[in-house]
């Protein structure tokens, strides 16, 4: 009997121990499963953001797009979308600090946001002022109005091309933004004669192009360029020296010279410096101590260097409207046959390099629109195309090592751009 009691007690203890163990195992297993589940939840990718339009969630509205038609204004657009007169009047009055709605232009896009229900009540109106800015008007409640800007995307690109005619045509032939031609002409204005481009001249360039949506809105920065002109290499690297961004060559010399290479962009030389040229109007041979740049009437003319206007008016000897600028004790420049002068331009005024001074015309003794550009050195006429202007200060000695280290990878990247590159091969290195 005693033996039976002991055996029963042992069995009870064993059963209780097994029960406790099973419970503990189940608890630990449930905890592991819970942890695994939470880990799985954390590893799930986040839900994509909802599609947005002008800062609004698209799925929250019924949306209609349109473009301003000829002779259409804000009132006619909103009335056609069931907005009452009093609301339109209040919107027009309160929008003046953001945009004058009288300046709404035909062809510009607009969007109307309606309530998503069956009533389709107009709730918001958005008008695109330009490629980047837009005006937002609330059509209900407080009639909130504000102006905003679309997200701007900057894309790092590279391009290259061989010139057969002009820089502009080379850009188009290689499916590059033609505005790069203007950028490059400004960068190299002091070192490359773009009126003397030769077949076979070529370029490579690294730059940033900005986009709104999928539309290019311009070139933001040119980081580096390599231009081969008449067999000579011309490098340009954008670098900040003394808190000012400028362009320098591979040896740290500034590309900015004391004078611009030419006083206007993209034309042709119709007559060169000569001591005995046949005058097309007077029909006689006489000296022509200048360079004629043929260009359409109204083409902007710029001062080739800093200086003071010493004369502005009419030249009775055949020059028509003219401007004379004294740059220093050595050089003076004259711009003749102008159609007109820049607003506010007057004698005694100080002008800066690249400042607008007038427009190409046909005044005086001229058979067609052109600029007669003349340079005087120590009072004597000299050929403008033969002047070697001194450069601006180069990279300082203390910054030279840092500069050379900065341009080394840019120079390597330029060398790797194939000259046969076309638009489909454009390299988008990164997006900022």
């Amino acid at each position: 009997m005693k033996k039976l009691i002991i055996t029963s007690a042992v069995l009870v203890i064993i059963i209780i121990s097994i029960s406790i163990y099973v419970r503990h195992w189940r608890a630990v297993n449930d905890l592991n499963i819970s942890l695994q589940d939470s880990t799985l939840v954390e590893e799930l990718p986040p839900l994509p953001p909802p599609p947005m339009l002008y800062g609004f969630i698209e799925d929250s509205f019924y949306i209609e797009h349109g473009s301003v038609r000829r002779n259409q204004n804000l009132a006619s657009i909103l009335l056609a979308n069931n907005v009452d007169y009093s609301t339109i009047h209040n919107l027009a009055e309160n929008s003046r600090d953001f945009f004058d709605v009288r300046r709404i232009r035909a062809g510009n896009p607009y969007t109307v946001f309606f309530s998503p229900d069956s009533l389709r009540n107009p709730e918001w109106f958005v008008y695109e002022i330009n490629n980047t800015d837009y005006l937002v008007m609330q059509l209900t409640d407080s009639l909130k109005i504000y102006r905003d800007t679309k997200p701007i995307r900057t894309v790092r690109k590279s391009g290259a091309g061989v010139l057969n005619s002009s820089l502009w045509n080379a850009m188009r032939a290689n499916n590059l933004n033609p505005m790069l031609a203007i950028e490059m002409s400004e960068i190299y204005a002091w070192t490359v004669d773009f009126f003397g481009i030769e077949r076979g001249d070529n370029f490579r360039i690294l730059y940033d192009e900005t986009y709104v949506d999928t539309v290019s809105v311009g070139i933001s920065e040119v980081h580096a360029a390599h231009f081969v002109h008449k067999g000579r290499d011309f490098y340009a690297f954008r670098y900040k020296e003394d808190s000012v961004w400028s362009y320098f060559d591979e040896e740290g010399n500034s590309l900015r010279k004391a004078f611009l290479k030419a006083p206007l962009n993209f034309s042709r030389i119709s007559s060169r410096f000569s001591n005995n040229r046949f005058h097309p109007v007077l029909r006689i041979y006489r000296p022509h101590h200048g360079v004629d740049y043929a260009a359409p009437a109204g083409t902007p003319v710029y001062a080739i260097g800093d200086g003071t206007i010493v004369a502005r008016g009419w030249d009775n000897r055949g020059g028509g409207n003219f401007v004379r600028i004294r740059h220093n004790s050595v050089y003076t420049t004259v711009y003749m046959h102008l159609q007109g002068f820049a607003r506010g331009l007057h004698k005694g005024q100080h002008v800066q390099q690249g400042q607008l001074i007038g427009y190409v015309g046909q005044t005086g003794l001229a058979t067609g629109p052109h600029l007669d550009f003349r340079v005087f050195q120590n009072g004597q006429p000299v050929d403008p195309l033969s002047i070697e202007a001194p450069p601006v200060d180069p990279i300082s000695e203390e910054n030279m090592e840092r500069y050379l280290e900065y341009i080394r990878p840019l120079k390597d990247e330029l060398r790797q751009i194939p000259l046969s590159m076309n638009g489909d091969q454009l390299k988008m290195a990164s997006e900022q």
Side-chain angles (χ1 to χ4, degrees), residues 16-138:
I16 293 173
S17 298
I18 292 172
S19 176
I20 293 172
Y21 175 79
V22 169
R23 289 178 182 178
H24 175 73
W25 180 84
R26 286 178 176 174
V28 171
N29 190 54
D30 289 344
L31 179 61
N32 288 335
I33 292 173
S34 177
L35 289 173
Q36 290 175 4
D37 289 344
S38 64
T39 302
L40 289 173
V41 169
E42 290 177 359
E43 290 179 352
L44 288 175
L47 293 174
M52 306 291 289
L53 182 63
Y54 304 114
F56 298 104
I57 299 176
E58 289 190 52
D59 294 344
S60 300
F61 300 91
Y62 174 77
I63 298 174
E64 287 188 0
H65 302 281
S67 294
V68 180
R69 298 192 303 272
R70 187 177 179 182
N71 298 324
Q72 203 172 25
N73 55 30
L74 178 68
S76 59
I77 294 172
L78 294 183
L79 284 172
N81 286 281
N82 299 321
V83 180
D84 59 73
Y85 277 106
S86 62
T87 298
I88 295 172
H89 174 75
N90 290 332
L91 289 172
E93 289 293 318
N94 296 328
S95 65
R96 292 177 179 176
D97 291 339
F98 305 98
F99 179 74
D100 185 350
V101 296
R102 292 173 299 179
R103 296 171 55 196
I104 284 179
R105 296 173 57 185
N108 284 25
Y110 67 83
T111 302
V112 184
F113 294 78
F114 298 89
S115 61
D117 51 38
S118 59
L119 296 177
R120 297 280 173 88
N121 292 319
E123 296 186 351
W124 295 90
F125 173 77
V126 178
Y127 167 74
E128 292 196 9
I129 300 170
N130 50 45
N131 287 333
T132 58
D133 294 0
Y134 57 91
L135 182 71
V136 179
M137 292 180 164
Q138 187 179 19

Side-chain angles (χ1 to χ4, degrees), residues 119 215 349 360:
L119 296 177
V215 179
Q349 178 182 348
V360 170

Side-chain angles (χ1 to χ4, degrees), residues 239 241-242 394-404:
Y239 191 75
E241 176 81 347
D242 295 331
I395 298 291
S396 60
E397 291 185 11
E398 58 267 27
N399 290 335
M400 182 60 73
E401 185 176 349
R402 188 182 303 111
Y403 172 75
L404 294 177

Side-chain angles (χ1 to χ4, degrees), residues 85 286 364 420:
Y85 277 106
R286 73 175 189 175
S420 59

Side-chain angles (χ1 to χ4, degrees), residues 372-385:
D372 185 343
F373 174 59
R374 305 194 176 197
V375 177
F376 295 85
Q377 183 177 4
N378 296 318
Q380 298 299 315
V382 295
D383 186 353
L385 301 179

